[in-house]
Amino acid sequence: MKVAIFPCNYIFIYTFKSFTPSYQPKETLQQQLITSLQNVSPAVVQIMAEDITMYYQEDKYQNGLDNQNLQKKGNGIIISTKWYILTNNHVIDSPDLKYTIVTNDNKYFVVKKIWKDEILDLAILLVDDQNLPTQANFIDIDTPLEIGTFVFALGNPFSEYPNTASFGILSGKWRKITTSWSTNYYGWLYQTDVALNPGNSWWPLANLSWKIVGIITAISRWGNNIWFALPLNKDFITNLINNLEK
């Protein structure tokens, strides 16, 4: 073996610098969920209704009828800071009651007008002339939403635990059901396995990009964690508001 030796009159000095990757690591699933909840929750509101109901009071001291002021609570979501709240039609069981909106920061707004759509099971509430603090963001109509997409619901179970969150996936699409409160037939609903309780209507269903994709509308009586949501998107909400303001 022959080795070539080259004379060298220079000394080369190399300086190595620490390498910082140009990319940033993605958020973990938990971080995405927490961030999404923080961005969606301010647009979720409670709906309270004042009603005078006669009830029968019986004890060893008093028998008879009396009046009691009851608070019927539901959930809704701010779709425009200019006074509009969206909820389920069956949440607003009587348009003759006095309804009040309570926001996430505990501000109260009196409902002035109600529009009801029994076919879609939707109701729009118009509050007084004060601007609402924020509004929800909705998914674009051309954004694909695939089965298996992570979703969460946010609301107030039993009207006792506001800002309760539940996490799951989109389990199915184009589900066909009829509901117990009407004879309407629905053939385009989302199915989800988020853990909810009966009475959790109008919980917004959102993805991890802070976008509302639907509203919880119904539950299956024959299974566990089989919920159905009415799909929503930005175009639908925009057209809805434009029609109200004509």
Side-chain angles (χ1 to χ4, degrees), residues 181-200:
W181 62 83
S182 75
T183 58
N184 294 334
Y185 172 81
Y186 299 91
W188 59 89
L189 300 183
Y190 291 144
Q191 178 187 333
T192 180
D193 68 346
V194 291
L196 301 174
N197 296 284
N200 289 161

Side-chain angles (χ1 to χ4, degrees), residues 35-201:
T35 301
S36 299
L37 287 167
Q38 291 171 342
N39 281 273
V40 172
S41 62
V44 180
V45 300
Q46 295 184 58
I47 301 172
M48 307 174 70
E50 297 182 25
D51 188 14
I52 303 297
T53 302
M54 302 298 289
Y55 76 101
Y56 186 74
Q57 180 178 4
E58 182 176 0
D59 56 33
K60 63 181 180 180
Y61 301 110
Q62 178 181 357
N63 293 324
L65 292 172
D66 199 355
N67 289 334
Q68 186 180 26
N69 192 4
L70 300 179
Q71 297 290 332
K72 297 181 179 180
K73 301 179 182 180
N75 296 287
I77 191 163
I78 302 171
I79 60 173
S80 170
T81 54
K82 195 176 179 180
W83 321 323
Y84 294 115
I85 308 291
L86 183 66
T87 188
N88 283 127
N89 176 65
H90 68 268
V91 171
I92 309 300
D93 50 4
S94 173
D96 298 325
L97 300 180
K98 180 182 178 182
Y99 290 94
T100 302
I101 300 300
V102 185
T103 60
N104 206 20
D105 54 356
N106 208 35
K107 293 180 180 178
Y108 288 71
F109 298 85
V110 177
V111 174
K112 295 173 60 177
K113 191 173 182 179
I114 299 173
W115 294 270
K116 295 164 67 71
D117 188 325
E118 295 183 0
I119 296 177
L120 292 178
D121 190 31
L122 293 177
I124 307 292
L125 311 181
L126 173 68
V127 302
D128 53 25
D129 293 337
Q130 305 176 61
N131 287 340
L132 294 166
T134 187
Q135 68 184 54
N137 293 313
F138 291 83
I139 194 170
D140 291 326
I141 192 171
D142 56 351
T143 299
L145 193 64
E146 302 298 337
I147 296 174
T149 299
F150 288 122
V151 291
F152 66 91
L154 190 66
N156 184 13
F158 307 117
S159 300
E160 294 291 340
Y161 309 106
N163 295 320
T164 295
S166 186
F167 182 62
I169 64 169
L170 188 73
S171 307
K173 298 190 292 186
W174 298 101
R175 296 304 192 229
K176 304 173 183 179
I177 68 168
T178 54
T179 62
S180 60
W181 62 83
S182 75
T183 58
N184 294 334
Y185 172 81
Y186 299 91
W188 59 89
L189 300 183
Y190 291 144
Q191 178 187 333
T192 180
D193 68 346
V194 291
L196 301 174
N197 296 284
N200 289 161
S201 289

